[in-house]
Amino acid sequence: MDSSELQQLIVETLAKDSVIPDTRKLSPLGVKGKATPVEDPNAVISALASLASREIVSYEQHDTFTYFLTAEGAQIARDGSHEALVWAAVPTKGSGQVITIKQLQDQLGQTAKIGQGKAFKNEWVGKEGDKLFKKVATIVDTTKEELTEVEKTGTLKGGEKAIAELRKRKLLEQKKSLWYSVKQGPAFTTDLRKPETDLTAEMIATGSWKNSNFKQYNFDADGTPTNGGALHPLMKVREEVKGIFFEMGFAEMPTDAFVESCFWNFDALYVPQQHPARETQDTFYVSSPAKALAPPRDYLERVASYHIRGSPDGTSRGYQAPFSLDESHRLLLRTHTTAVSARMLYALAQKGKKEGFKPAKLFSIDRVFRNEAVDATHLAEFHQVEGVVADRGLTLGDLIGFMQTFFAKMGLPNLRFKPAYNPYTEPSLEIFCWHPGLGKWVEIGNSGMFRPEMLEPMGFPPGVRVHGWGLGLERPTMIRYGITNIRSLVGHKVSIEGVEKSPAVRF
Ligand code: PHE
């Protein structure tokens, strides 16, 4: 009988009798009172569990002890108890026959030894000298009768005491068995066809849905895990770095304009118009539209004048070179996020003119573009991280202090600085950090105090200093994730699976 037949038997029996008080008495269709062939309790429980999950039945579990005979018990049930065998072997007094204890032992062996005592105690046999006689004409062999009953029914009506006695004599062994009582459930049916799991167009067209049995939704089931979005490793690192800036009290700059004018990308930063960075081999220029919107007129004039002649008080002599408005109005893909810092610093200075200067800490993390040969570690676009601080009386010590705090939070506590050149900062410092993995100092960024030639035309009051530092996002990310080729991090060769599985970073 397989599980579906057993399930069918259970519901048919319930349809007839409405309850099954004891699954051990479950009888095959129609024939009542006969023991079921289904004696495997596992088969019964799995059939019941399956029916109960569809609310066709409900059931309760019970347990009972049943008993079975040991080898010796089975022998007694067949041949009689040792004491009965002793009694049978002993002659009646006056029959002319005699048997001595020795002869009985020779005849019955072990049985004589075990049975004698009990036969005496029951007063079944008596002794004269060394001869044995029957004391009664008939006996009732209770042990044999009890064992026969256990063999047939698995238990004894005589009760626990008698059972305990037989177990002590090692004639019985106990076994715990499970059985179930079963009732009809709220969705009782004898129709066990598999319920439909889908409502199909065909069912609607033929109308067969009306008579179909539909499977209930299991609202407790775990769903299949959804394939949700995942942050790209670069974006994970960006989130971390943003967190560090926010912790240090910085506000984020708007970096959504990738196309900039030469004015904001270079001129406002006091990058001479003849600077090699402006060459087409380094910078992507945009041909359409041909011209950028002009910056505020007075500011453009001040910037041009600082480039050509320097400061009005003569502290700076400028570049002593021509300044072209056409050059200033060209459009390009920004080569650094410092173009955004320039716009923000100009706005800060202008606001300060009206409302009084207020210090500011600003940061940005976004994409920049350079016309570079693409190799394993360089792309023509990458992300820059930049921090800028404007306040009265800032010194180079403040800049170094900010960078030490910032990089320590990124897990890079060992920094070294090397004098460098930037057109817009003086002094300028290259930033090196100790790379424990590579066992050497690696360059990670660039920094400096912004020049008066850049800050004065913006309109900052005297005494206000601005410093800043910048670094790439890709290099720390590659180090964090152990990536050696930039193409595994950016572009069409990036493994989506890798992106989904890469852990969040913690600096
Ligand atoms: N703009 C610089 C670069 O591209 C970084 C920098 C930012 C330097 C701010 C000084 C001040 O490397």
Side-chain angles (χ1 to χ4, degrees):
M1 185 174 272
D2 66 17
S3 182
S4 64
E5 286 171 331
L6 180 53
Q7 291 184 24
Q8 198 64 46
L9 169 62
I10 291 168
V11 291
E12 301 278 333
T13 309
L14 283 177
K16 210 151 28 72
D17 303 343
S18 80
V19 290
I20 299 170
D22 181 349
T23 45
R24 288 172 304 174
K25 301 266 159 51
L26 198 58
S27 53
L29 304 177
V31 201
K32 232 185 156 186
K34 242 181 122 193
T36 164
V38 186
E39 256 143 21
D40 175 3
N42 291 333
V44 174
I45 184 61
S46 81
L48 287 175
S50 162
L51 290 170
S53 74
R54 292 158 66 187
E55 301 203 315
I56 294 171
V57 306
S58 67
Y59 66 92
E60 272 174 58
Q61 178 175 293
H62 310 271
D63 52 33
T64 327
F65 292 110
T66 56
Y67 302 91
F68 60 97
L69 304 187
T70 60
E72 194 187 355
Q75 192 197 325
I76 290 173
R78 194 177 65 232
D79 303 334
S81 64
H82 300 293
E83 56 271 26
L85 295 177
V86 166
W87 175 82
V90 165
T92 319
K93 205 171 180 181
S95 66
Q97 292 171 297
V98 288
I99 194 164
T100 64
I101 293 174
K102 172 94 179 49
Q103 284 166 337
L104 183 76
Q105 258 177 31
D106 292 346
Q107 195 182 318
L108 295 184
Q110 274 298 107
T111 296
K113 265 196 193 147
I114 309 166
Q116 246 178 93
K118 199 105 200 266
F120 279 124
K121 208 174 136 208
N122 288 355
E123 303 212 342
W124 288 356
V125 299
K127 195 164 75 158
E128 257 171 38
D130 66 345
K131 298 184 184 71
L132 297 166
F133 297 103
K134 276 195 171 76
K135 268 185 119 174
V136 288
T138 56
I139 55 160
V140 179
D141 187 355
T142 329
T143 309
K144 178 183 161 134
E145 280 176 7
E146 284 175 349
L147 290 175
T148 313
E149 184 184 336
V150 170
E151 198 171 36
K152 274 202 199 118
T153 65
T155 187
L156 255 191
K157 286 225 174 64
E160 279 170 29
K161 241 183 122 185
I163 288 173
E165 176 67 24
L166 292 172
R167 286 183 69 197
K168 217 167 89 193
R169 289 169 66 188
K170 299 204 161 43
L171 303 178
L172 288 189
E173 265 174 39
Q174 190 185 52
K175 162 171 99 177
K176 189 177 173 179
S177 60
L178 295 179
W179 55 280
Y180 307 89
S181 54
V182 192
K183 287 193 301 213
Q184 299 186 352
F188 182 74
T189 171
T190 54
D191 179 1
L192 295 186
R193 280 173 305 164
K194 263 214 160 23
E196 303 290 350
T197 50
D198 273 321
L199 178 63
T200 63
E202 197 195 326
M203 284 175 182
I204 295 170
T206 60
S208 75
W209 62 272
K210 282 180 216 154
N211 302 315
S212 298
N213 176 18
F214 288 96
K215 190 178 167 127
Q216 296 281 314
Y217 278 114
N218 177 3
F219 291 107
D220 297 328
D222 287 342
T224 42
T226 50
N227 209 9
L231 278 188
H232 185 278
L234 266 181
M235 297 300 106
K236 282 183 188 158
V237 176
R238 183 176 71 170
E239 285 310 299
E240 277 299 305
V241 177
K242 265 192 194 187
I244 292 170
F245 275 119
F246 286 137
E247 248 171 57
M248 293 174 70
F250 282 72
E252 192 171 6
M253 297 186 260
T255 49
D256 48 357
F258 293 176
V259 176
E260 264 300 352
S261 63
C262 280
F263 178 80
W264 288 110
N265 195 85
F266 294 127
D267 298 338
L269 289 165
Y270 196 57
V271 178
Q273 290 198 332
Q274 298 74 22
H275 196 277
R278 300 197 185 215
E279 307 267 327
T280 45
Q281 60 260 42
D282 290 323
T283 302
F284 292 116
Y285 286 91
V286 174
S287 51
S288 165
K291 238 177 128 184
L293 295 176
R297 183 89 223 158
D298 57 332
Y299 177 46
L300 172 63
E301 276 166 12
R302 284 198 301 277
V303 168
S305 144
Y306 268 76
H307 274 248
I308 300 163
R309 285 174 290 275
S311 54
D313 63 8
T315 357
S316 166
R317 295 182 60 244
Y319 292 120
Q320 305 288 322
F323 184 92
S324 147
L325 285 181
D326 287 342
E327 172 61 24
S328 195
H329 290 153
R330 284 172 81 190
L331 284 165
L332 46 67
L333 294 181
R334 70 175 174 222
T335 63
H336 53 187
T337 44
T338 319
V340 181
S341 301
R343 284 180 178 271
M344 294 300 288
L345 289 170
Y346 171 72
L348 182 72
Q350 292 300 305
K351 200 165 172 231
K353 267 192 176 165
K354 281 186 228 127
E355 301 167 15
F357 169 76
K358 286 205 193 77
K361 290 190 279 189
L362 303 168
F363 80 95
S364 63
I365 309 173
D366 212 337
R367 216 177 282 198
V368 300
F369 307 84
R370 291 192 191 164
N371 194 359
E372 297 212 41
V374 175
D375 62 25
T377 50
H378 292 90
L379 288 180
E381 54 178 276
F382 60 98
H383 290 78
Q384 270 192 338
V385 177
E386 180 156 326
V388 170
V389 182
D391 202 353
R392 287 199 157 85
L394 283 176
T395 65
L396 192 66
D398 292 308
L399 170 60
I400 291 173
F402 263 106
M403 291 196 285
Q404 260 155 355
T405 309
F406 173 83
F407 285 104
K409 283 175 188 279
M410 279 186 67
L412 303 168
N414 283 325
L415 298 184
R416 272 188 188 172
F417 304 99
K418 184 176 144 187
Y421 170 76
N422 277 323
Y424 39 91
T425 53
E426 184 58 35
S428 308
L429 307 171
E430 269 171 10
I431 314 157
F432 289 76
C433 73
W434 177 253
H435 190 307
L438 297 177
K440 63 175 187 185
W441 293 93
V442 290
E443 195 202 327
I444 42 163
N446 187 4
S447 65
M449 309 283 298
F450 286 107
R451 292 183 78 110
E453 290 94 331
M454 166 184 153
L455 300 179
E456 283 171 19
M458 285 178 168
F460 281 111
V464 169
R465 304 263 183 279
V466 183
H467 63 220
W469 69 94
L471 61 144
L473 189 63
E474 278 76 358
R475 177 137 8 140
T477 304
M478 285 170 76
I479 293 173
R480 284 278 143 184
Y481 287 94
I483 297 170
T484 47
N485 193 321
I486 189 92
R487 292 184 186 91
S488 325
L489 187 66
V490 188
H492 65 284
K493 287 188 180 154
V494 172
S495 133
I496 299 285
E497 202 195 352
V499 169
E500 280 170 354
K501 294 211 172 121
S502 63
V505 307
R506 282 272 128 31
F507 286 121

